[in-house]
Amino acid sequence: MRSLLLLALAAAVLGGCGRRGAVPLSYDPPGSTITTSKPITKPARRDWSFGGIGVTNSYDGARLGALEAVHDTLLIGSIRPENAPINNSAWFGFKIWSSAPRSVWLRLEYTAGDHRYVPKLSPDGRTWESIDPASFRIDTTGERQAGVMRLELSSDTLWVSGQERMTRHWFADWTNLVGGHPDATVSELGQSTYGKPLRLLDIGSDESSKEFVLIISRQHPPEVTGSHAVVAFLERLLQEDRLAREFRARYRTLAVPLMNPDGVDDGHWRHNAGGVDLNRDWLTFNQPETRAVSDYFVDRVGSGTVRFAADFHSTQEDVFYTTSRNLKTNTPGLIDQWLADIALALPDYVVNDDPSGVDSPVSKAWFYKTFRATALTYEVGDEQDRARIREVSRVGAESMMRRLLAVPR
Ligand SMILES: [Zn+2]
């Protein structure tokens, strides 16, 4: 009786949370599902100097095109995407300093997009904070929305970026760290367009296990909040408690936390080095990243069973893009149990469930059609509180482990 009541409560919570109909910031521009390679413009790495102010984009994860000083307290930077048309995820990143303390106004103007991200500031490229809201606004008066920020400069370098900088090297360090766990291994399953490694984190203590969970993330370079979530999710699977140990003893989790290392390092808005949205390539597999990962998963799973698959992304608000409930998975009811567990564990968190079919060429559809897995696109809001992101993801990982351990073998 109690569990029925809980389920009814959860259904009421879930039923009230759909926000379909909102106009998404993200959209598919014409041609995005044609995934043969398209030309891109490689970022020109360079330094600028204006009367004591220094600026550089010469590092991985940066994006800043032209920069001009209108006068000594106003700079105008221009930001272009790797190619266009493109989804509006207007990434920017640069370092700035001044020989003497001063404040400057910096205006970012965009081609083929509008300002999207609240600027994040860092003294060292590792610890980040959102800019003081009083020092930032979006100027909507022009044809394209510009970002205007006031920056307090000193001789210490200030990092300015759309989101925290989590590049290929960040992922390599993190993967090596968590991969040091006795129940984890790290390997290279393939290579990106530029030949960078696509790294697999393989979690589980039973080599012969035939039950799998598949996790991918960061197909879209600016989607750093999705990376915060995937990191928390995978770290929870490696925790030293009974739940995680039992889960690792039964299931193998195959995770590719960084699907698009070229795009991330070159500060792309959306695409890989082939100029393509990787999450529209899960039908034709024209790009090396999607091809390598899908081939590996199919080969590795073999005659086994994939029970749960998630692809972590970011958008303007938290939303779980699940599959329509009339599509039968190999673990019936799992997705509703999972969503209900999160709703019940975090009563002040709005669980946004947005189910759809599996006709589009995205990873979620491929996971379902290939394995009949419970599959979702796990979207995290751009400006969602970082501690909240980790909390939701940990609760999601715990629910998944508990529910999958309850599935009859
Ligand atoms: Zn995305």
Side-chain angles (χ1 to χ4, degrees):
M1 188 62 194
R2 185 165 172 271
S3 63
L4 271 180
L5 267 177
L6 285 179
L7 273 178
L9 171 67
V13 170
L14 293 174
C17 297
R19 284 203 214 162
R20 265 164 280 168
V23 178
L25 185 65
S26 307
Y27 72 103
D28 265 359
S32 62
T33 56
I34 300 165
T35 60
T36 44
S37 296
K38 302 163 192 177
I40 63 164
T41 305
K42 284 274 287 175
R45 297 303 190 203
R46 58 162 294 186
D47 306 328
W48 292 265
S49 178
F50 305 103
I53 297 176
V55 182
T56 184
N57 69 5
S58 297
Y59 61 96
D60 286 345
R63 177 151 294 251
L64 177 64
L67 184 67
E68 62 170 314
V70 178
H71 48 74
D72 60 359
T73 57
L74 175 62
L75 304 176
I76 296 183
S78 64
I79 309 277
R80 290 169 182 271
E82 57 274 19
N83 61 1
I86 193 164
N87 170 291
N88 185 44
S89 306
W91 180 258
F92 57 90
F94 53 88
K95 292 191 267 188
I96 185 167
W97 61 91
S98 167
S99 52
R102 69 166 104 177
S103 68
V104 295
W105 289 95
L106 191 141
R107 179 183 169 87
L108 291 180
E109 298 181 343
Y110 296 89
T111 301
D114 298 293
H115 191 96
R116 170 164 172 171
Y117 300 103
V118 173
K120 311 298 181 299
L121 308 181
S122 170
D124 54 14
R126 286 185 289 277
T127 55
W128 295 85
E129 275 188 357
S130 290
I131 195 169
D132 179 346
S135 297
F136 169 68
R137 69 186 170 86
I138 292 179
D139 178 358
T140 59
T141 56
E143 192 186 331
R144 290 285 180 192
Q145 295 181 9
V148 183
M149 63 194 85
R150 193 183 67 217
L151 301 173
E152 306 301 331
L153 304 184
S154 73
S155 56
D156 294 330
T157 298
L158 179 66
W159 300 63
V160 182
S161 192
Q163 298 284 23
E164 301 90 324
R165 179 172 175 260
M166 292 169 84
T167 56
R168 182 169 64 95
H169 283 111
W170 188 96
F171 277 94
D173 289 347
W174 176 79
T175 310
N176 288 341
L177 193 70
V178 298
H181 191 288
D183 291 345
T185 55
V186 178
S187 59
E188 181 180 328
L189 63 72
Q191 292 184 340
S192 68
T193 305
Y194 292 154
K196 294 176 180 173
L198 298 170
R199 300 179 88 212
L200 172 80
L201 178 63
D202 183 335
I203 299 171
S205 57
D206 177 8
E207 274 297 326
S208 63
S209 170
K210 301 293 277 177
E211 292 180 292
F212 293 88
V213 167
L214 305 180
I215 302 289
I216 63 171
S217 79
R218 211 68 185 274
Q219 296 194 79
H220 298 144
E223 298 186 359
V224 169
T225 56
S227 290
H228 288 306
V230 81
V231 161
F233 193 94
L234 294 170
E235 287 180 353
R236 184 62 188 87
L237 306 190
L238 284 164
Q239 212 166 300
E240 286 308 331
D241 64 347
R242 188 173 158 191
L243 175 65
R245 272 196 296 268
E246 286 182 2
F247 182 78
R248 295 196 298 270
R250 177 168 165 188
Y251 286 91
R252 284 210 91 80
T253 301
L254 310 178
V256 184
L258 178 55
M259 285 281 304
N260 187 357
D262 299 338
V264 165
D265 281 0
D266 278 354
H268 285 187
W269 290 15
R270 182 77 169 182
H271 298 154
N272 72 337
V276 162
D277 182 338
L278 288 178
N279 204 28
R280 301 295 179 272
D281 191 37
W282 289 84
L283 208 51
T284 43
F285 299 101
N286 287 312
Q287 297 303 314
E289 295 87 357
T290 39
R291 204 161 50 231
V293 172
S294 61
D295 283 352
Y296 181 85
F297 283 162
V298 167
D299 188 54
R300 181 68 192 283
V301 171
S303 60
T305 304
V306 178
R307 295 219 177 269
F308 186 93
D311 178 7
F312 288 74
H313 289 255
S314 308
T315 188
Q316 58 270 60
E317 62 175 356
D318 289 12
V319 54
F320 300 114
Y321 290 126
T322 57
T323 54
S324 303
R325 303 305 193 269
N326 60 347
L327 298 166
K328 296 299 170 222
T329 69
N330 58 30
T331 316
L334 174 62
I335 195 65
D336 287 315
Q337 293 169 343
W338 186 79
L339 294 165
D341 285 345
I342 296 172
L344 289 170
L346 303 171
D348 60 339
Y349 178 73
V350 177
V351 176
N352 236 337
D353 171 30
D354 193 348
S356 66
V358 289
D359 295 328
S360 63
V362 302
S363 66
K364 176 188 79 175
W366 183 82
F367 286 133
Y368 173 77
K369 289 187 287 190
T370 307
F371 303 110
R372 288 295 178 267
T374 296
L376 76 151
T377 309
Y378 186 126
E379 297 271 5
V380 182
D382 291 334
E383 309 302 338
Q384 176 62 284
D385 176 75
R386 276 30 180 177
R388 173 43 66 104
I389 294 172
R390 290 189 289 273
E391 181 181 37
V392 173
S393 196
R394 267 197 309 271
V395 166
E398 286 166 4
S399 164
M400 181 199 73
M401 291 192 285
R402 225 172 24 247
R403 297 293 181 177
L404 290 188
L405 283 169
V407 172
R409 282 178 193 262

